[in-house]
Amino acid sequence: MIMNKIGGGRRFQGKVAIVTASTQGIGFSIAERLGLEGASVVISSRKQKNVDEAVGKLKGKGIEVFGLVCHVSNAQQRKNLIEATIQKYGKIDVIVSNAAANPSVDSILETKEPVLDKLWEINVKSSILILQEAAPHLQKGSSVILISSIAGYQPQASMAMYGVTKTALFGLTKALATEMAPDTRVNCIAPGFVPTHFADFITSNADIRKAIEEKTLLNRLGTTEDMAAAAAFLASEDASYITGEVLVVAGGMPSRL
C-alpha cells in the first residue's frame, strides 16, 4: 500500500539510514518507508525480541535491514550502533533520532530529579551523543532528522516536562543545522497525536481522542505513515534546500503563527 502512495520511488537507493527506537510505532514506519525507497536501514530498540520481530517484518517486504539492541542512554550501545553500521555498510547518509520517554504525568514542580534526568537524557542528550559518534561517518549531502512533538509548542499539563524537552529539540535543530552545514542538513518533525503504543494512554481514551480530533482541522489523529512520509521527504534530495526547520505534521492542530 505504501509503495502505491509513493509510486515506487527509490530516492534512497544506495543510501544507509539509521533510525533509533525503530521496532514499532513512528520509528518503525520511518525505517520501513526509507527501506521501501531503497535505503539499507539500521533499526534498533532496547529489546532483542522486538529487534528480531521488526527485522523479520522489514525483510518480508524486501528491505535490506540490519537490527541491533541500542538503549540510547547506554554509551557502549550507542557506540556499537555506529561502529556496527560502519562495519557493515561503510557509511551513514541519514540519521533519524526518534527515541523518547515520558515516564511521568506530574507537574514540573512535582517531578522528581531522577525523572527529570531521564527525560533530559533520553529526549535530548541521547540525540547529541549519537550524533557525536556518527558525525565523522556522515556523507556529504547527508541528513539528520530529530523527532520532536506538537507538545514542544504547547506543553500540556499532563506531559509538561516532556513537552519542554521537545521544545529543546527545536533549538537543537537550529544549532546543529548551523554547526553541520553545508555537508549535512538537520531538520525536525513535530508530530501531532498518533495512536501508537507510546501515546496509548491518550489515544485509547475515547473522550480524549475525540477532543484531540476536534482540535485538528482534518478531524483525525495522525498515522505513523503520515510521519514516515514527512521524514522521507526531509531526508531526501527533494528537500536539499531545507535545513534548520521544523515541519509540523499535526493535521492543522494549532502550533505557531
Side-chain angles (χ1 to χ4, degrees):
M1 180 184 141
I2 294 181
M3 282 311 278
N4 294 344
K5 274 194 199 170
I6 60 180
R10 303 289 281 177
R11 292 181 291 186
F12 299 100
Q13 198 70 51
K15 306 277 190 195
V16 177
I18 294 177
V19 186
T20 64
S22 46
T23 57
Q24 54 189 5
I26 290 172
F28 179 82
S29 277
I30 291 173
E32 178 183 47
R33 178 68 184 255
L34 297 177
L36 287 173
E37 288 205 44
S40 299
V41 291
V42 179
I43 65 165
S44 64
S45 73
R46 289 174 298 174
K47 296 188 180 120
Q48 186 69 53
K49 176 176 167 288
N50 295 359
V51 171
D52 294 343
E53 281 172 14
V55 164
K57 282 185 203 158
L58 294 174
K59 282 196 166 148
K61 299 192 178 204
I63 291 168
E64 165 59 36
V65 55
F66 177 46
L68 60 171
V69 169
C70 178
H71 193 315
V72 293
S73 61
N74 180 313
Q76 190 52 52
Q77 289 180 9
R78 283 194 307 266
K79 192 176 170 59
N80 185 43
L81 176 69
I82 303 305
E83 283 181 355
T85 299
I86 294 307
Q87 229 167 356
K88 189 163 175 65
Y89 296 117
K91 61 170 188 160
I92 303 167
D93 299 286
V94 177
I95 295 184
V96 181
S97 186
N98 174 59
N102 186 23
S104 163
V105 291
D106 292 334
S107 67
I108 290 175
L109 297 181
E110 307 219 314
T111 303
K112 302 281 187 284
E113 189 172 355
V115 175
L116 289 174
D117 289 344
K118 182 178 178 181
L119 277 160
W120 175 253
E121 192 168 338
I122 292 174
N123 296 2
V124 184
K125 203 168 96 176
S126 72
S127 289
I128 299 168
L129 294 172
I130 278 177
L131 288 173
Q132 285 179 358
E133 293 281 351
H137 309 288
L138 282 166
Q139 302 298 291
K140 193 171 169 53
S142 56
S143 172
V144 170
I145 298 171
L146 306 180
I147 306 295
S148 178
S149 167
I150 189 87
Y153 288 108
Q154 306 275 327
Q156 291 173 314
S158 64
M159 48 201 288
M161 196 59 216
Y162 168 83
V164 172
T165 63
K166 293 303 197 174
T167 311
L169 292 181
F170 300 155
L172 184 60
T173 299
K174 292 276 183 211
L176 285 174
T178 304
E179 199 169 303
M180 299 179 84
D183 291 342
T184 300
R185 297 181 299 105
V186 183
N187 291 293
C188 182
I189 294 173
F193 288 91
V194 180
T196 61
H197 174 65
F198 184 81
D200 207 30
F201 75 103
I202 296 173
T203 54
S204 61
N205 177 315
D207 293 338
I208 297 179
R209 188 181 179 125
K210 190 165 182 293
I212 293 169
E213 286 170 348
E214 283 167 0
K215 271 194 203 151
T216 69
L217 300 182
L218 300 181
N219 284 343
R220 68 172 177 88
L221 298 183
T223 66
T224 60
E225 288 83 6
D226 290 329
M227 306 310 139
F233 164 66
L234 284 176
S236 78
E237 282 301 300
D238 288 338
S240 63
Y241 201 52
I242 300 175
T243 194
E245 297 296 343
V246 178
L247 178 56
V248 179
V249 189
M253 195 176 243
S255 56
R256 55 191 170 179
L257 202 66

